[in-house]
Amino acid sequence: MRSKRNNSLRIVVAALALGGSCAAAIADEVTDRSKDPNLWAAPGGDQALTRHSGLKSINTSNVRHLQMVWSQSSGTLRGHEGQPLVVVVNGKPMMYMESGWPNIIQALDLSDPDHPKEVWNYRKTSNRDESAVPRACCDTVNRGPSFADGKLVFGTLDGFVIALDATTGKEIWTVKHAHPDKGETITPAPLIAEGKVLIGFGGDEFAARGRFTAYNLADGKKVWECYNTGSDQDVCLTKNSNKKHPEYGTAGHDLGISGFPGDEWQRGGGAMWGFYSYDPELHLVYASSGNPGLWSPSYRCGAKTHEECNDGKWDNKWSMTIFARKVDTGEVVWAYQMTPFDQWDYDGINENMLEDATIDGKPRKILMHFDRNGFAYVLDRTDGTLLRATKYVTTNWAEKVDMKTGRPVKVKEHSPLEAHRNTQACPSAMGGKDQQPCAIDPAEPGIAYCPTNNWCMEDEPQERSHTQQGTVYVFANVFMYPEKPGITGKFKKYNTLTGETVWEIPDPYPNWGGALVTDGGLVFYGSLNGDFRAVNRSSGEVLWQRRLGSGIIGNPITYSINGKQYVSVWSGIGGWIGLPVTAGLDLNDKFGAIGATAMTKAAGLNMIPQGGTLYTFAIQE
């Protein structure tokens, strides 16, 4: 096994050597590295965000012998989303991990994998902006770094994108990407493709105006930047955008302006704070935008009635939209809006997973997206053709998605609009699934393993009192509650092509961490009370679990060194669902943290201690 591993290292090192020669080779470097199951090469494991591993040394037969072999503190408390990377640098297997605010980076040498050695750490010390902390919605989390061409690239909550020398930890370049005074904070992991670093930010609840930017990996210079609201030019729409589906919206109408009343598009949200995917054959990057600013919908409509606000004129383009952009220019190839004129904060930023499948007898390159709004979407990722839209959790705000127009058929009874009118809806604003990513195995087309939320809400829009960026811009009272008492989360195996739930595991605690699926017949995920689990992916039987030191909102990874497989995951309660715990909010305020305090109290999350530790497991027989 050692000789096989060494050969794998030589292949990756050779790829790294080629990576510095040209931009095209850098794209191949990231894609090729992810083909080695011994590594965890990108935030989602690969550019397609599959979170799938071909490793199978840990399997259904021996997983009961899984034991913790080491742990490492991040140096911070509060929420820990994201995951570390495992790559090869100068012939050595290295792990890179990033904490939440103040975004401490640690580099661990895994040459002795049971006893890793920290070789450097980094914390930016100059020009920090503490105002990012209260402006971060929600919590001071980070979803991890990315790596290519010998550089570790990451974002900080207060708006910096930084590239470090992965060997020494020295700064190579730093750019100011997001501005907290405008409501912008960085929580997403960057995507690196074709010599570019691509990244957005969060801030829809602070009146930010979303945009997506590409920087040159070599020196940090801006290559292109496209907004998600505004003129066609700002959004990077062209006459060829949505060519196959003009019903989605086309250039020539400035829909990113006219779809809002007055100047509301300038505070129109649409920020991209989730995970991003990339297809190296199509040279397209896929990223989804968030909610259109304030939660009091009438201020985003120039009409008065539910029917008028949903006739297509006031769609608040291009919020809640899956974008397919050319990686070299940012030009929109297609853009599909899932929740036009959002009335529930069904933030559309969830991951877009890529695989190939035969659908209705035709081979397709597909994109799968489990949206906050309760629908699981399947689209042809070449042109945006909508192939499936099924309800994966209880969803009553819409009857269905019209497959001809792509628009949801909304239910007026469950659609908040006027100020001071209370409305019930499922799912809650936290969605059928929030940022916690699903996992897919491309050998099992259409199937996804997903952590889901099972909550509903009462939403009462309020009067708007200001239009200041960088200040809380919500104006709604939201009360969230479990759909069924005692069950707030379900982890499920779901068929996106048939709409069938194959199996599910109910949990009294929310599942706010991501999934990992392996060729060992296992799925790994964590619960917010700290239970880390391994499940038989065929049957849904929990085969193993261990209680960690805090709630889990991180995403498991797996890697192998010298033939020995390891599984790692962050522990540290937080995120939107854990914010009342990490920020010490009053749980008697049922509207606190935009409804999160009620869920915290209902699920007993105030009894979960804070954390900030990476746990690593291996078989110990």
Side-chain angles (χ1 to χ4, degrees):
M1 294 300 293
R2 183 179 296 273
S3 62
K4 183 177 180 180
R5 173 63 182 162
N6 288 342
N7 183 56
S8 174
L9 293 183
R10 285 195 293 270
I11 292 172
V12 175
V13 171
L16 290 173
L18 291 171
S21 60
C22 65
I26 291 174
D28 290 338
E29 173 199 336
V30 178
T31 301
D32 289 346
R33 186 188 302 109
S34 67
K35 295 175 183 177
D36 183 352
N38 297 298
L39 308 178
W40 194 264
D46 52 33
Q47 302 282 51
L49 296 181
T50 67
R51 298 188 181 272
H52 165 258
S53 172
L55 295 178
K56 51 188 175 183
S57 295
I58 301 173
N59 52 56
T60 56
S61 298
N62 62 13
V63 70
R64 66 184 182 278
H65 298 299
L66 204 62
Q67 298 292 338
M68 190 187 79
V69 291
W70 60 268
S71 63
Q72 182 91 353
S73 170
S74 72
T76 67
L77 296 174
R78 300 193 65 158
H80 280 68
E81 291 176 357
Q83 60 292 302
L85 299 178
V86 177
V87 295
V88 175
V89 179
N90 297 327
K92 291 182 178 180
M94 296 289 299
M95 175 181 283
Y96 297 99
M97 47 197 272
E98 179 177 6
S99 75
W101 174 264
N103 306 109
I104 301 169
I105 300 289
Q106 296 182 61
L108 307 183
D109 183 345
L110 300 181
S111 296
D112 183 354
D114 286 356
H115 302 88
K117 178 182 179 182
E118 182 172 310
V119 293
W120 59 259
N121 59 64
Y122 170 89
R123 173 176 174 173
K124 183 172 175 57
T125 57
S126 60
N127 301 317
R128 302 310 301 267
D129 187 348
E130 295 277 352
S131 76
V133 174
R135 285 174 166 140
C137 180
C138 297
D139 205 8
T140 59
V141 298
N142 184 277
R143 297 182 187 89
S146 290
F147 173 86
D149 195 32
K151 301 177 182 68
L152 190 76
V153 187
F154 62 98
T156 68
L157 190 73
D158 53 343
F160 294 98
V161 178
I162 301 172
L164 303 179
D165 184 306
T167 302
T168 65
K170 302 299 183 183
E171 287 187 20
I172 298 176
W173 53 260
T174 300
V175 297
K176 184 66 170 176
H177 170 67
H179 303 275
D181 63 318
K182 296 181 179 180
E184 304 167 359
T185 52
I186 298 179
T187 57
L191 170 74
I192 301 178
E194 299 195 23
K196 300 173 186 65
V197 176
L198 301 108
I199 193 167
F201 49 76
D204 298 330
E205 279 66 46
F206 285 79
R209 180 188 173 204
R211 63 182 185 275
F212 195 54
T213 308
Y215 297 99
N216 191 322
L217 176 61
D219 56 18
K221 292 182 179 179
K222 187 182 295 184
V223 180
W224 54 259
E225 184 167 78
C226 301
Y227 285 83
N228 300 326
T229 67
S231 68
D232 294 342
Q233 182 177 358
D234 282 358
V235 179
C236 301
L237 287 170
T238 74
K239 63 180 182 180
N240 292 318
S241 301
N242 281 335
K243 190 172 184 179
K244 181 70 178 292
H245 294 282
E247 69 273 18
Y248 294 171
T250 58
H253 313 284
D254 284 337
L255 296 175
I257 294 177
S258 64
F260 293 84
D263 68 349
E264 192 60 29
W265 62 273
Q266 296 183 25
R267 300 171 296 279
M272 291 176 161
W273 53 269
F275 291 97
Y276 320 122
S277 52
Y278 164 70
D279 185 323
E281 295 181 357
L282 299 175
H283 302 285
L284 295 180
V285 59
Y286 303 91
S288 301
S289 60
N291 59 290
L294 77 168
W295 294 20
S296 196
S298 64
Y299 292 98
R300 292 186 273 101
C301 176
K304 298 294 184 182
T305 69
H306 170 83
E307 290 75 16
E308 290 173 310
C309 291
N310 283 286
D311 67 3
K313 182 178 179 180
W314 306 104
D315 282 350
N316 304 154
K317 301 281 191 184
W318 296 88
S319 66
M320 313 301 243
T321 297
I322 299 173
F323 283 93
R325 296 184 181 275
K326 292 183 179 180
V327 71
D328 56 343
T329 64
E331 175 187 331
V332 175
V333 174
W334 59 263
Y336 170 68
Q337 189 177 36
M338 296 161 290
T339 312
F341 186 60
D342 169 59
Q343 294 163 260
W344 306 266
D345 184 48
Y346 288 150
D347 219 332
I349 60 84
N350 289 353
E351 73 284 356
N352 299 301
M353 302 170 288
L354 315 181
E355 67 179 17
D356 297 341
T358 298
I359 300 180
D360 301 328
K362 181 179 179 180
R364 297 273 195 173
K365 293 181 178 296
I366 66 171
L367 175 154
M368 290 186 290
H369 175 98
F370 284 74
D371 198 64
R372 285 250 290 265
N373 69 16
F375 285 92
Y377 296 86
V378 181
L379 299 100
D380 186 314
R381 68 178 181 270
T382 66
D383 59 19
T385 298
L386 180 63
L387 303 171
R388 298 285 191 276
T390 57
K391 295 181 179 180
Y392 68 96
V393 294
T394 299
T395 302
N396 65 12
W397 69 274
E399 295 178 13
K400 62 181 181 179
V401 173
D402 185 319
M403 297 302 290
K404 291 183 178 180
T405 65
R407 296 179 68 86
V409 180
K410 293 183 180 180
V411 178
K412 183 177 181 180
E413 177 188 356
H414 300 294
S415 301
L417 182 63
E418 304 92 346
H420 307 299
R421 180 171 70 87
N422 189 283
T423 305
Q424 188 275 346
C426 299
S428 76
M430 289 188 179
K433 188 185 78 63
D434 201 281
Q435 57 77 38
Q436 58 272 36
C438 302
I440 62 174
D441 182 348
E444 200 176 28
I447 297 294
Y449 300 86
C450 289
T452 67
N453 305 327
N454 298 266
W455 315 326
C456 299
M457 69 177 176
E458 294 179 5
D459 182 352
E460 184 178 308
Q462 302 294 303
E463 303 285 347
R464 181 174 66 180
S465 60
H466 70 84
T467 57
Q468 177 66 44
Q469 285 188 316
T471 303
V472 176
Y473 197 60
V474 177
F475 312 114
N477 288 334
V478 179
F479 170 66
M480 301 185 200
Y481 58 92
E483 175 191 340
K484 181 178 180 180
I487 298 176
T488 61
K490 293 180 181 178
F491 188 87
K492 62 178 61 183
K493 181 178 182 178
Y494 188 82
N495 188 325
T496 63
L497 304 184
T498 66
E500 173 195 9
T501 294
V502 181
W503 52 252
E504 62 183 22
I505 304 169
D507 200 312
Y509 296 94
N511 298 318
W512 204 262
L516 163 69
V517 62
T518 77
D519 282 357
L522 298 170
V523 184
F524 291 88
Y525 76 101
S527 178
L528 207 49
N529 73 324
D531 284 335
F532 186 44
R533 298 179 178 130
V535 176
N536 185 315
R537 60 184 280 188
S538 296
S539 66
E541 179 187 1
V542 178
L543 301 177
W544 171 92
Q545 70 177 12
R546 289 292 183 274
R547 177 67 56 84
L548 306 188
S550 180
I552 299 169
I553 64 170
N555 311 315
I557 71 165
T558 189
Y559 59 94
S560 180
I561 297 176
N562 298 331
K564 186 174 181 179
Q565 184 180 353
Y566 297 83
V567 178
S568 296
V569 68
W570 279 117
S571 171
I573 189 174
W576 185 6
I577 183 62
L579 182 62
V581 176
T582 61
L585 302 184
D586 180 5
L587 298 189
N588 291 317
D589 176 9
K590 69 177 184 179
F591 302 128
I594 327 176
T597 52
M599 280 307 307
T600 293
K601 190 172 184 178
L605 299 183
N606 53 315
M607 297 295 110
I608 308 298
Q610 293 188 57
T613 300
L614 187 79
Y615 291 86
T616 298
F617 301 84
I619 297 295
Q620 303 285 6
E621 298 193 47

